[in-house]
């Protein structure tokens, strides 16, 4: 294990807190893409609280690591991460996706501090990330670029064009991350447009592939450490996750790609996340 029990516990607590804040933001907004937000929270938590060189106090630092949220529709889960870090006031979340708010459904880099680039048209994020990785090399800087994609997003041909370019230029300063929650807006990925053998496809495109349990904080930490150590080729982390992770009633249900919560469902959701927190923390005691 790459982290000690104290760090593991802190990251689990932070992930649970961010799940609660994401649920609250969905309620304030009147609805949101909660399924894919919750499946990504552990990945985002490790990135922003353990792995990346990133600080809310130095958003313009040219040596900061870059993060591109290619699956931009989960802004309702990403915005709480940035607000919690101090990139902008928590109160902004209360107006998420309301008229006049800087926080739209998809994060806008020109309006939201901490967001590198506007995203939301699926399939574009990896191409942008390849450009950032090339810029790091050409400018003589050492920042790394992390790009979070959805598995359904990988139906887009532009993802594979970018993958080919990254391998061609041997961009070992880029990490692709696929939130492999096996579900998309229309159904389960393998029913809508099969991706398997998914890892083999990335390997064939010249990428170093790491497959992990995307609900395991230690595995996520270890994967990003391995990615940084691997030289000569780009790395993709395929994280096996559960859509709606943390709320038992919606977990694994593709119909919760987008949804809203009435008051009783909101309370049930909060209780479920707290039970999820307890279950996760109990695993630390066992190791």
């Amino acid at each position: 294990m790459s982290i000690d029990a104290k760090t593991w516990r802190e990251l689990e607590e932070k992930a649970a807190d961010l799940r609660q804040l994401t649920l609250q933001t969905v309620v304030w907004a009147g609805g949101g893409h909660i399924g894919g937000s919750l499946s990504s929270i552990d990945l985002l938590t490790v990135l922003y609280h353990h792995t990346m060189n990133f600080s809310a106090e130095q958003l313009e630092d040219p040596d900061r690591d870059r993060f591109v949220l290619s699956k931009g529709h989960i802004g309702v889960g990403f915005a709480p991460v940035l607000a919690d870090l101090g990139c902008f006031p928590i109160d902004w979340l209360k107006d998420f996706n309301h008229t006049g708010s800087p926080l739209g459904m998809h994060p806008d880099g020109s309006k939201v501090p901490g967001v590198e680039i506007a995203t939301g048209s699926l399939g574009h994020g990896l191409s942008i990330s390849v450009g950032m990785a090339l810029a790091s090399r050409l400018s003589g800087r050492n920042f790394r670029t992390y790009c979070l994609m959805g598995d359904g997003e990988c139906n887009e041909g532009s993802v594979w064009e970018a993958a080919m370019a990254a391998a061609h230029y041997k961009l070992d300063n880029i990490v692709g991350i696929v939130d492999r929650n096996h579900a998309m807006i229309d159904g389960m990925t393998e029913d809508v447009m099969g991706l398997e053998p998914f890892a083999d496809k990335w390997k064939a495109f010249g990428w170093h592939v790491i497959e992990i349990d995307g609900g395991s904080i230690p595995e996520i930490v270890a994967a990003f450490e391995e990615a940084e150590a691997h030289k000569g080729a780009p790395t993709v982390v395929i994280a096996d996750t559960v859509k709606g992770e943390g709320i038992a009633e919606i977990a694994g249900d593709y119909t919760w790609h987008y949804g809203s919560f009435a008051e009783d469902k909101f309370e049930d959701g909060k209780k479920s996340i707290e039970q999820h927190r307890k279950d996760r923390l109990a695993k630390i005691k066992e190791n």
Side-chain angles (χ1 to χ4, degrees), residues 51-125:
T51 298
M52 291 200 308
N53 172 30
F54 179 90
S55 170
E57 289 73 42
Q58 294 179 298
L59 295 179
E60 300 302 320
D61 180 359
D63 293 316
R64 73 191 181 283
D65 287 340
R66 271 57 164 181
F67 173 75
V68 175
L69 181 67
S70 193
K71 48 178 294 184
H73 54 281
I74 68 158
V76 76
F78 185 37
V81 173
L82 296 178
D84 177 72
L85 285 166
C87 294
F88 52 83
I90 290 282
D91 281 352
W92 281 22
L93 299 177
K94 296 179 180 178
D95 294 322
F96 187 91
N97 205 37
H98 294 186
T99 301
S101 170
L103 298 174
M105 189 65 71
H106 299 81
D108 186 336
S110 67
K111 298 178 180 179
V112 185
V115 175
E116 295 289 348
I117 192 78
T119 58
S121 184
L122 294 175
H124 292 180

Side-chain angles (χ1 to χ4, degrees), residues 104-159:
M105 189 65 71
H106 299 81
D108 186 336
S110 67
K111 298 178 180 179
V112 185
V115 175
E116 295 289 348
I117 192 78
T119 58
S121 184
L122 294 175
H124 292 180
L126 191 60
S127 296
I128 295 169
S129 299
V130 168
M132 289 178 173
L134 282 168
S136 178
R137 175 187 291 176
L138 292 171
S139 63
R141 299 194 178 277
N142 294 314
F143 69 80
R144 298 176 62 74
T145 301
Y146 297 84
C147 177
L148 179 61
M149 297 168 277
D151 50 2
E153 178 181 4
C154 292
N155 292 161
E156 299 279 358
S158 53
V159 170

